[in-house]
Amino acid sequence: MTKSFSDSPDKARTIDRALKMMALYHFETCPYCHKVRHFLGQHALAIELRDTANDVTAKSELIAGGGRHRVPCLRIQKPDDTVEWLFESDDIIAYLKAWLSAH
Ligand SMILES: N[C@@H](CCC(=O)N[C@@H](CS)C(=O)NCC(=O)O)C(=O)O
């Protein structure tokens, strides 16, 4: 289980589930990806990382879903199963900041 944002186990489980609905497409040497990974580390956000430079499946998923091989990109699966592909490191961080304040 990820670091809890709350003392409540139920709330921690809800947060874990929500984090599992996200994945960050990135690669190691990209400075914009580094910025987003740093933010994830600072806030102990256990979001799955998919490395498009070393994982052909991750790269194909990003191109098929997001329309281009540009990183970083945050894949967000919504409760209704629709998927949003969010590009731009600043927009990803802004989204996660808003997500954190809501949780
Ligand atoms: N303004 C973007 C820049 C992202 C960017 O330039 N990423 C590079 C890797 S460092 C990339 O994916 N280039 C391939 C492309 O744009 O098709 C951000 O802040 O996320």
Side-chain angles (χ1 to χ4, degrees):
M1 192 175 287
T2 55
K3 190 173 167 183
S4 172
F5 292 86
S6 150
D7 290 336
S8 152
D10 281 349
K11 186 163 183 193
R13 268 192 291 276
T14 303
I15 288 168
D16 281 344
R17 262 199 303 275
L19 288 172
K20 285 198 179 79
M21 305 301 270
M22 297 188 229
L24 182 72
Y25 290 76
H26 77 118
F27 55 75
E28 196 57 40
T29 55
C30 163
Y32 307 98
C33 301
H34 179 267
K35 186 169 75 175
V36 177
R37 288 196 309 268
H38 182 70
F39 181 87
L40 298 183
Q42 272 183 323
H43 296 276
L45 289 173
I47 291 175
E48 183 189 345
L49 300 178
R50 297 186 184 161
D51 183 338
T52 62
N54 290 303
D55 177 349
V56 285
T57 305
K59 183 175 176 181
S60 303
E61 286 168 0
L62 176 58
I63 294 169
R68 55 195 161 149
H69 182 212
R70 172 171 261 219
V71 289
C73 179
L74 185 67
R75 181 186 191 275
I76 308 156
Q77 188 167 343
K78 303 287 174 71
D80 66 0
D81 270 348
T82 57
V83 173
E84 181 183 354
W85 296 83
L86 181 61
F87 291 93
E88 290 298 322
S89 53
D90 288 343
D91 292 347
I92 294 170
I93 289 172
Y95 175 86
L96 292 172
K97 277 185 181 160
W99 187 93
L100 279 167
S101 4
H103 287 80

